């Protein structure tokens, strides 16, 4: 009953006209920020922070949270249409989302992204409402060995992402793992692979690498294809712009998968939305009846990661609001915003500032509806972008990509890096190397290395720490099983063939 | 404005060259760039924006003070930018300890803080040594005795090996001969979670973060990393008071100008920030963030930076970090 009372109180706060207005403003800004690559929710919130000093804390956090989860809605738009990941969490959406757009299903892909975001976002908030404190206690059980196992599980998914050639997939992954090690090592403070460039001391930004190997490479490859490069088909008529019933039905499992995977990984302070979307995609493909179609534009391949990165927002707020632990850059700024308004974030927030806690939770239910209403009508409009002739569209993609890379930290060095990664991606496409494993390695490698070294420091070099806990042991076993899966398939095929020949 | 500025500056430079600098008054003629080494929302960024808001509201500067973010490579992107603005009297930056440390350990970080124009140290951030509330260690001494009894078993969570958490650990280990592990986590949230989950035994954390956990009965503070006791924690001894005579390791924030600033220009900025630090708004910010707001002037700052750099160099060497300068 406490929850129900709290929620009712929350709605009474969130439905005040001023707070409704801030919720809308936050969601709208979030959508815009999500669409623009390079400008992330963290930077936007930081820039708007001084404007919120005079606001009521409840209204302020409602607006900032709107920017946070709204950005994840918007992130899918450029991924699907232009193969430009707007945020790190929407990289996976590029794979099947853009493939759908190439098949003339841009509208449905956008629609599915919005619907998956709505469903999973709402489930995430529902779980946040109902079980925040126990779930937070679970998150604290995750120590470095568990994080290591989670990252192994993520890397095992490369097998599923790699396409026809496993070897090429693994090589691409290794390249990603190496790229992520560039920069200053946290443990020893030594610079690795910086080649005398002080700009590389901080490592490379994920957005720069991803935009390079996805968007720029795509444009180069299309130009290279010469006269075959033509406008992407956009069928006329509203019916073709919205997902069909069959497509929605195909996504049933993806909606649930995205919701749960996103939420569970979201509550872990050491993981991120990008990881949750990768893992949801991997699970989706592992359990699919037609895994071979993934990458060619299946709706589940959009629904699972998009759902996951939105459910992740609800999950990430669990440790923030119940324990005062921020899980990532954006939530860390929301934490400092709370402090600046005089609210004390921590274990006592829920009881001492119910207006803020329950007002925020309730506003997120409203915000998700606002986002759906805001985004669905935009789908037909955005889909028209693809009607632009290539000689106009390609420069636009290049322009957005360059500005996005520059926007990451305002350095021309990043723009040069982007061009370099564009060329790398182009070469990989030409030689038929999959680029998704590279990105996966880049995202997970850093966290995985850290978790391993933390674990071994804790145990003074004893490797058994990695399998001592049941959580980490289970995840490592799953990872091994996933790795063995294709071998079993091959073995099975050979066996069947042998039997057939013998018989 | 722009047109009159260039010849004006040239004239100013001539005059400065001709007569003793202190005779001249410096007056900024265009927007002052306030460089920050973190991205928007980082601790330093929030700090600098607070300062620039106060300077703006109290009209302490005739021109706007604009925060410019130069994130990347610790402090190196920002210090490279400062080096590119040598002799420009309109570029200042907000520095922290990392500006001293990066050039010590990174071959590629070539711009030393002392070679720029240090203006003032504004605050020192104290910290608390905390354990879980149900931990057996009631004092720092008990923790260190336990660490002596089983070397290498106990663990602290912290940031990079160059951080203050590790510096304090190194100093304590040297002093006492005890040994325990330091587990690096990149974000403050992960460090907190590691202690809350019982995966490490202790951490050093800033009082505003720890305060709530202590109030909620999750953490217990056993010592302070501070020259003097914080008003909010009058009963907790400092590390030195607890009987461990190690040098003070201040986590500082201050302002530095681009290299080649005249004394008059430094004096102008010093005066501006001194006035800002005396405003009620600033005092409220310092109090709420539980900072130590002792203002250190330019003439005292430079010798301090030199001696502090020497201390840090020794500590880093002892910690096994390769020191390049």
């Amino acid at each position: 009953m406490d929850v129900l009372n709290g929620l009712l109180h929350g709605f009474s706060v969130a439905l005040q006209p001023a707070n409704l207005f801030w919720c809308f403003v936050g969601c709208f800004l979030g959508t815009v920020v999500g669409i623009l690559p390079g400008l992330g929710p963290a930077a936007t919130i930081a820039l708007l922070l001084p404007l919120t000093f005079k606001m009521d804390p409840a209204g302020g956090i409602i607006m900032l949270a709107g920017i946070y989860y709204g950005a994840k809605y918007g992130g899918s738009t450029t991924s699907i249409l232009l193969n430009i990941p707007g945020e790190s969490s929407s990289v996976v959406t590029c794979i099947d989302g853009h493939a759908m757009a190439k098949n003339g299903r841009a509208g449905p892909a956008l629609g599915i992204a919005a619907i998956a975001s709505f469903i999973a976002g709402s489930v995430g908030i529902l779980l946040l409402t109902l079980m925040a404190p126990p779930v937070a206690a679970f998150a604290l059980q995750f120590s470095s060995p568990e994080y290591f196992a989670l990252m192994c599980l993520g890397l095992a998914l490369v097998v599923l992402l790699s396409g026809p050639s496993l070897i090429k997939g693994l090589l691409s992954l290794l390249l990603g793992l190496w790229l992520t090690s560039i920069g200053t090592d946290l443990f020893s403070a030594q610079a690795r692979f910086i080649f005398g460039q002080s700009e590389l001391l901080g490592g490379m930004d994920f957005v720069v690498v991803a935009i390079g190997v996805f968007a720029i490479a795509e444009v180069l490859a299309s130009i290279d294809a010469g006269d075959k490069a033509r406008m992407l088909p956009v069928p006329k008529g509203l019916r073709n712009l919205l997902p069909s019933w069959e497509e929605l039905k195909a996504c049933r499992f993806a909606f649930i998968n995205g919701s749960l995977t996103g939420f569970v990984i979201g509550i872990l302070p050491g993981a991120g939305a990008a990881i949750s979307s990768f893992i949801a995609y991997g699970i989706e493909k592992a359990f699919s009846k037609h895994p071979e179609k993934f990458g060619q534009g299946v709706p589940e391949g959009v629904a699972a990661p998009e759902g996951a990165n939105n459910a992740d927002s609800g999950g990430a707020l669990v440790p923030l609001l119940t324990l005062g632990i921020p899980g990532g850059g954006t939530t860390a700024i929301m934490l400092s915003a709370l402090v600046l308004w005089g609210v004390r974030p921590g274990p006592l927030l829920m009881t001492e500032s119910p207006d803020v806690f329950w007002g925020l939770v309730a506003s997120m239910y409203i915000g998700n509806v606002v986002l759906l209403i805001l985004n669905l009508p935009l789908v037909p409009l955005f889909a028209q972008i693809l009607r632009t002739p290539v000689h106009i569209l390609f420069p636009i993609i290049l322009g957005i990509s360059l500005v996005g890379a520059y926007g990451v930290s305002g350095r021309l060095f990043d723009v040069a890096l982007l061009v370099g990664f564009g060329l790398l991606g182009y070469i990989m496409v030409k030689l038929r190397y999959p680029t998704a494993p590279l990105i996966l390695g880049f995202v997970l490698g850093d966290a995985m290395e850290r978790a391993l070294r933390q674990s071994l420091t804790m145990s003074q070099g004893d490797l058994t720490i990695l399998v001592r806990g049941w959580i980490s042991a289970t995840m490592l076993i799953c990872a091994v099983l996933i790795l063995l899966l294709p071998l079993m398939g091959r073995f099975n095929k050979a066996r069947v063939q042998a039997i057939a020949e013998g018989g | 404005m722009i047109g009159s500025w260039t010849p004006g500056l040239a004239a100013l430079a001539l005059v400065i060259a001709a007569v003793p600098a202190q005779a001249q008054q410096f007056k900024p003629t265009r927007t002052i760039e306030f460089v920050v080494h973190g991205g928007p929302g980082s601790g330093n960024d929030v700090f600098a924006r607070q300062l620039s808001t106060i300077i703006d509201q109290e009209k302490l500067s005739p021109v706007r003070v604009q925060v410019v973010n130069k994130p990347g490579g610790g402090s190196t992107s920002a210090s490279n930018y400062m080096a590119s603005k040598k002799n420009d009297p309109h570029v200042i930056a907000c520095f922290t300890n990392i500006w001293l440390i990066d050039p010590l350990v990174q071959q590629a970080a070539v711009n030393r803080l002392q070679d720029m124009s240090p203006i003032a140290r504004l605050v020192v951030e104290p910290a608390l040594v905390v354990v879980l509330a149900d931990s057996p260690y009631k004092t720092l001494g008990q923790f260190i005795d336990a660490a002596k009894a089983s070397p290498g078993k106990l663990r602290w969570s912290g940031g990079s090996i160059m951080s203050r958490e590790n510096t304090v650990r190194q100093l304590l280990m040297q002093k006492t001969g005890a040994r325990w592990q330091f587990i690096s986590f990149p974000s403050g949230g992960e460090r907190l979670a590691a202690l809350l989950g019982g995966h490490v035994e202790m951490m050093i954390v800033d009082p505003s973060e720890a305060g709530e956990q202590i109030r909620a009965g999750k953490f217990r503070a056993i010592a302070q990393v501070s020259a003097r006791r914080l008003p909010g924690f009058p009963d907790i001894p400092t590390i030195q008071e607890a009987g461990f005579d190690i040098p003070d390791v201040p986590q500082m924030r201050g302002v530095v100008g681009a290299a080649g600033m005249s004394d008059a220009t430094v004096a102008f900025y010093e005066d501006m920030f001194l006035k800002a630090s005396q405003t009620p708004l600033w005092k409220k910010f310092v109090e709420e963030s539980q900072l130590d707001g002792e203002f250190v002037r330019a003439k005292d700052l430079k010798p301090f930076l030199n001696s502090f750099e020497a201390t840090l160099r020794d500590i880093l060497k002892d910690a096994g970090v390769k020191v390049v300068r």
Side-chain angles (χ1 to χ4, degrees), chain A residues 42-43 46-47 49-50 53-54 140-144 146 184-191 194 196-203 269-270 323-327 333 335-336 339-340 344-349 352 406 408-411 450 454 457-460 465, chain B residues 40-42 45-46 49-50 53 57 69-74 76-77 80 105-106 108-109 151-153 155 159-162 179 181-190 192-194 196-200 208-209 212-213 215-216 218 285 288 320-323:
Chain A
L47 296 176
L49 206 50
F53 284 159
K54 299 227 164 64
L140 287 181
Q141 290 191 7
F142 259 68
S143 179
S144 305
E146 282 78 20
T184 308
D185 171 38
L186 179 72
F187 294 82
S188 64
Q190 302 298 305
I194 64 159
Q197 301 287 318
S198 65
E199 285 91 345
L200 282 175
L201 278 172
L323 301 169
I325 298 177
I333 300 173
L335 188 83
S336 49
V339 175
L340 285 171
R344 303 204 250 176
L348 302 175
L349 178 81
E352 290 186 353
Y406 183 74
V408 168
S409 57
R411 297 187 303 180
R450 248 179 1 234
Q454 284 161 354
T457 318
M458 287 180 181
S459 70
Q460 295 189 279
I465 190 175
Chain B
S42 63
D45 179 69
V46 173
R49 283 179 201 278
Q50 188 78 20
T53 309
Q57 281 181 1
N69 297 91
K70 294 286 168 192
T76 46
S77 290
N80 284 348
V105 297
Q106 304 289 9
K153 279 268 179 279
R155 297 155 301 189
S160 122
I161 191 170
M162 301 184 292
R179 200 165 62 76
Q181 306 291 347
F182 183 76
I183 319 281
S184 292
F185 293 90
S187 79
E190 287 167 72
L192 269 181
L196 279 171
H199 309 298
V200 298
S208 53
E209 247 179 302
E212 278 307 286
Q213 305 287 348
R215 222 160 56 82
K218 305 236 175 207
F285 173 74
E288 275 176 5
V321 178
K322 201 172 89 196
V323 175

Side-chain angles (χ1 to χ4, degrees), chain A residues 123-142:
Chain A
V123 172
I125 304 158
L126 191 69
L127 294 172
L128 165 70
T129 318
L130 295 177
M131 37 199 275
V135 160
F138 169 75
L140 287 181
Q141 290 191 7
F142 259 68

Side-chain angles (χ1 to χ4, degrees), chain B residues 154-172:
Chain B
L154 297 179
R155 297 155 301 189
W156 277 24
S157 67
S160 122
I161 191 170
M162 301 184 292
S163 64
R164 170 175 51 180
E165 297 97 281
N166 189 42
T167 312
V168 171
R169 163 178 166 266
Q170 289 291 337
L171 289 169
L172 280 173

Side-chain angles (χ1 to χ4, degrees), chain B residues 234-290:
Chain B
D235 305 327
I236 312 293
T238 66
I239 290 183
Q240 289 78 7
E241 286 169 348
F244 302 97
D245 189 24
I246 59 167
D248 200 21
V249 191
Q251 178 84 26
M252 53 180 179
R253 288 191 204 277
V255 190
V256 62
M261 258 187 193
S262 70
D263 290 349
T265 315
V266 170
F268 165 82
Y269 286 115
E270 187 188 70
D271 185 54
M272 180 171 91
F273 283 104
L274 181 64
K275 281 183 184 143
S277 73
Q278 287 161 347
T279 58
L281 270 172
W282 182 252
K283 289 195 167 139
K284 183 165 163 272
F285 173 74
V286 165
E287 193 191 312
E288 275 176 5
S289 325
Q290 312 215 36

Side-chain angles (χ1 to χ4, degrees), chain A residues 208 216 401-407 410-422:
Chain A
V208 175
I216 307 272
S401 302
L402 291 174
V403 171
Y406 183 74
R411 297 187 303 180
L412 273 174
F413 183 79
D414 285 331
V415 178
L417 271 186
L418 175 81
V419 173
F421 280 111

Side-chain angles (χ1 to χ4, degrees), chain A residues 34-289:
Chain A
I35 292 172
L36 299 172
L39 182 61
T44 314
I45 292 180
L47 296 176
L48 288 177
L49 206 50
L51 300 178
T52 64
F53 284 159
K54 299 227 164 64
M55 279 168 70
D56 165 56
I61 193 78
I62 284 172
M63 181 178 87
L64 297 191
I67 297 174
Y68 173 51
Y69 56 77
K72 293 188 177 167
Y73 264 78
S76 58
T77 309
T78 46
S79 303
I80 291 170
L81 295 176
L82 310 174
N83 212 16
I84 302 176
E87 309 298 329
S88 57
S89 55
S90 49
V91 171
V92 198
T93 313
C94 289
I95 303 172
D96 273 276
H98 191 61
M100 278 182 82
K102 279 186 178 166
N103 299 339
R105 304 293 293 161
L110 290 170
I112 284 169
I115 293 166
S117 298
F118 172 72
I119 294 177
S122 302
V123 172
I125 304 158
L126 191 69
L127 294 172
L128 165 70
T129 318
L130 295 177
M131 37 199 275
V135 160
F138 169 75
L140 287 181
Q141 290 191 7
F142 259 68
S143 179
S144 305
E146 282 78 20
Y147 280 110
F148 176 72
L150 178 68
M151 302 305 157
C152 285
L153 192 58
L155 284 190
L157 299 175
V158 164
V159 175
L160 302 168
L161 287 177
S162 60
S165 166
L166 185 58
I167 304 287
K168 283 184 172 175
L170 290 176
L171 281 172
S172 168
L173 171 78
L174 281 179
L175 191 58
L177 288 177
W178 172 64
L179 289 172
T180 197
S181 71
I182 292 175
T184 308
D185 171 38
L186 179 72
F187 294 82
S188 64
Q190 302 298 305
R192 299 190 292 194
F193 306 116
I194 64 159
F195 307 105
Q197 301 287 318
S198 65
E199 285 91 345
L200 282 175
L201 278 172
M204 288 177 295
D205 195 275
F206 170 68
V207 171
V208 175
V209 180
I211 296 181
V213 299
F214 279 159
I216 307 272
E218 162 95 16
V219 170
L220 292 179
S222 302
I223 294 172
D224 188 49
D227 53 13
K228 275 179 279 168
R230 55 190 158 68
M231 261 184 270
L232 296 176
V234 181
K236 281 197 182 359
L238 196 62
R239 179 171 297 176
N240 286 319
L241 287 174
L242 290 173
S244 68
W245 182 242
E246 283 72 37
E247 281 169 323
L248 284 176
K249 230 169 97 182
C251 294
R252 275 173 309 177
F253 177 68
F255 292 142
I256 305 170
N257 163 25
S259 307
L260 297 181
T261 310
F263 183 77
V264 170
I265 294 177
I267 59 170
L268 304 174
I275 294 172
S276 68
S277 57
F278 265 116
I279 292 192
Y281 184 85
I283 293 177
E284 197 60 38
K285 189 169 174 184
F287 285 97
S288 170
K289 288 199 190 82

